[in-house]
Amino acid sequence: MGKQSMLKAVGSSETGTFGGSLMKALLIVCFAMAIGWIISSFLPRPIPENVHVYFHQSYLDRAFQRADRSYLATGIEGIVTFLTLYLFVTWKSKGAVTPNMSAVGPISSRSALLLGANLALQCCLLLVVVGLPFAWYKGYYLEKTFGLSRLTLGGWFLEFIKGTFLQLIVYAVIGGVAAFVIVRFPTKWSYILTILFFLGSILVAYIYPIVIAPLFNKFVPLEDETLLSEVKGLFAQADIKVDKVLVMEASRKTARSNAYFSGVGNTKQVVLYDNLIQNQPIEEIKLVLSHELGHWKLGHILKGVLLTTVGTFVILTAFSLAFGSSGATLSTADFQRLFLYLVLFCMLASYALTPVSSYVSRKHEIEADLFSLELTKDPDVFIAAMVSLARANLSDVSPPPYIRWFAWTHPTTLERIALAEEFRSSLEAF
Ligand SMILES: [Zn+2]
């Protein structure tokens, strides 16, 4: 009954039926994808013969064991999350509205803003509570068991709380703005929200290094004179002007080693984990850095934002086509249903589209790897750096193919090594 009245209010009965079927189909696709994920976490993985050239069997056993446990938890988490949100949306759509809001007469854009923020907060809190055991298991228990985390349980929980607060703010803002736009511009909301999403993503990418990252970690400028002059030489060689190379004090929290590039315009910066500087030779640090410069030079942040904007446009347009955007004025109860369906639809559709974003991300990583190989012309150092990074992070160097296809944002360590070998052959050919 609840669904029926919403569909009548937001579109013709035909589009409404189509919307209902589309939602069901999407739910089934997401379930099937998550089940596939769980099954593949139990299947034997392909182990290429050359793996033992780079990794000892005892390393592989530990890495695979950690990875398999983490995959299983992720698969179950997906199913539990869809189910919880689906039940919540169905229950909330049965007509219940906040008592102090009138269910009679069309909703104003101002009340929609408040209701949207409120509903988004409720969804976010629900997802946080449901996700907590998985976050603890993957982010604390497994990290601790396999010697990666150096945090206490209290320290981990503090990080979790900080992350949750940030998430709640983001959800409330997005929910409020989206609700306002939907009611204020009933026929054009999907276009307007896409543009706002793009601008918001650029803003977040801009403020991330100066506002968000410092909430979680301490950063200091790179001071090691030798390394700094090597780094500057590398930048000059790549014809890149960078004034910000920062060191993240990661070693207090983790044994993991990494580097990343973030920011837009004048907040652009390269960040190296202190673990990387302490544990890896200077040639390998330069290699890792040149990979990050590749992302910079090739505009991968902007390309990533553009891609998610296209994804957002597709999802919002599909929703507005399926559920109708007749421009009819909605009552509070109808709006609440429409909004909750939109939340569920966005979550399911972005899960189903994960393989697309993973694929594009892997392409970008390959481009950055090639950039670093061309800049350094040293496949041996490249391979050594990949092996060191894998060891420091206890990486799954040969993940199950389905899981790699679905969620691997980087090529696997063995694929990256193969790329360097290929590059070596091409060097020798000249
Ligand atoms: Zn990268």
Side-chain angles (χ1 to χ4, degrees), residues 85 88 92 96-98 112-126 171-172 175-176 179 332-333 335-341 343:
L85 195 65
F88 179 73
K92 284 287 258 187
V97 285
T98 330
L113 187 143
L114 293 175
L115 182 58
N118 183 0
L119 290 172
L121 274 179
Q122 291 180 37
C123 290
C124 182
L125 261 181
L126 184 75
Y171 264 70
T332 302
F335 176 76
Q336 172 157 316
R337 289 187 200 101
L338 177 77
F339 187 83
L340 288 169
Y341 265 61
V343 173

Side-chain angles (χ1 to χ4, degrees), residues 66-329:
R66 191 201 70 86
D68 286 343
R69 289 198 206 170
S70 169
Y71 297 149
L72 180 61
T74 304
I76 297 172
E77 184 183 15
I79 291 184
V80 170
T81 309
F82 308 147
L83 208 63
T84 311
L85 195 65
Y86 179 76
L87 292 175
F88 179 73
V89 166
T90 323
W91 169 65
K92 284 287 258 187
S93 302
K94 288 230 153 60
V97 285
T98 330
N100 58 359
M101 287 191 180
S102 165
V104 190
I107 188 168
S108 70
S109 41
R110 197 164 162 269
S111 337
L113 187 143
L114 293 175
L115 182 58
N118 183 0
L119 290 172
L121 274 179
Q122 291 180 37
C123 290
C124 182
L125 261 181
L126 184 75
L127 295 178
V128 166
V129 171
V130 169
L132 177 61
F134 297 101
W136 166 81
Y137 180 71
K138 290 192 288 182
Y140 179 75
Y141 178 77
L142 283 184
E143 293 284 297
K144 207 80 184 164
T145 307
F146 288 91
L148 293 167
S149 175
R150 290 171 182 163
L151 284 172
T152 60
L153 183 59
W156 174 82
F157 194 65
L158 189 70
E159 299 257 294
F160 179 80
I161 294 290
K162 275 197 273 183
T164 300
F165 265 106
L166 197 64
Q167 217 180 327
L168 287 170
I169 294 170
V170 171
Y171 264 70
V173 171
I174 295 180
V177 170
F180 177 85
V181 172
I182 291 170
V183 171
R184 185 79 182 72
F185 307 97
T187 53
K188 297 188 203 83
W189 62 267
S190 58
Y191 304 99
I192 295 171
L193 284 184
T194 302
I195 295 166
L196 290 177
F197 177 86
F198 175 75
L199 297 176
S201 304
I202 298 284
L203 179 70
V204 169
Y206 182 80
I207 64 166
Y208 179 84
I210 44 177
V211 178
I212 301 171
L215 293 175
F216 297 90
N217 286 291
K218 230 181 124 185
F219 297 86
V220 289
L222 176 62
E223 269 164 3
D224 183 321
E225 285 298 330
T226 333
L227 184 55
L228 198 61
S229 75
E230 290 279 350
V231 165
K232 283 186 176 157
L234 191 69
F235 287 175
Q237 199 189 333
D239 193 23
I240 289 175
K241 279 202 182 74
V242 187
D243 5 84
K244 262 193 168 172
V245 182
L246 299 179
V247 179
M248 186 172 110
E249 294 184 355
S251 57
R252 288 180 303 149
K253 292 182 182 176
T254 180
R256 287 179 182 274
S257 186
N258 213 339
Y260 68 85
F261 157 57
S262 70
V264 175
N266 62 3
T267 69
K268 271 182 182 172
Q269 56 179 231
V270 172
V271 174
L272 303 169
Y273 279 36
D274 57 355
N275 291 332
L276 180 79
I277 297 172
Q278 284 154 17
N279 304 332
Q280 281 176 250
I282 207 158
E283 289 308 313
E284 290 184 24
I285 300 171
K286 276 172 68 184
L287 185 281
V288 173
L289 203 55
S290 57
H291 169 97
E292 297 309 320
L293 292 183
H295 284 307
W296 189 318
K297 194 89 178 172
L298 300 163
H300 285 160
I301 287 198
L302 188 63
K303 285 180 185 167
V305 168
L306 281 173
L307 179 82
T308 34
T309 304
V310 171
T312 304
F313 180 68
V314 169
I315 292 172
L316 294 180
T317 308
F319 184 85
S320 71
L321 288 175
F323 288 91
S325 57
S326 58
T329 42

Side-chain angles (χ1 to χ4, degrees), residues 21 23 33 52 100 118 148 176 181 186 190 209 237 263 268 308 326 338 350 359 362 377 382-383 397 402 411 420 423:
S21 318
M23 188 73 98
M33 285 174 119
H52 293 107
N100 58 359
N118 183 0
L148 293 167
V181 172
S190 58
Q237 199 189 333
K268 271 182 182 172
T308 34
S326 58
L338 177 77
S350 43
Y359 174 82
R362 286 197 300 272
K377 299 231 174 349
F382 182 97
I383 292 171
V397 297
Y402 177 83
F423 182 81

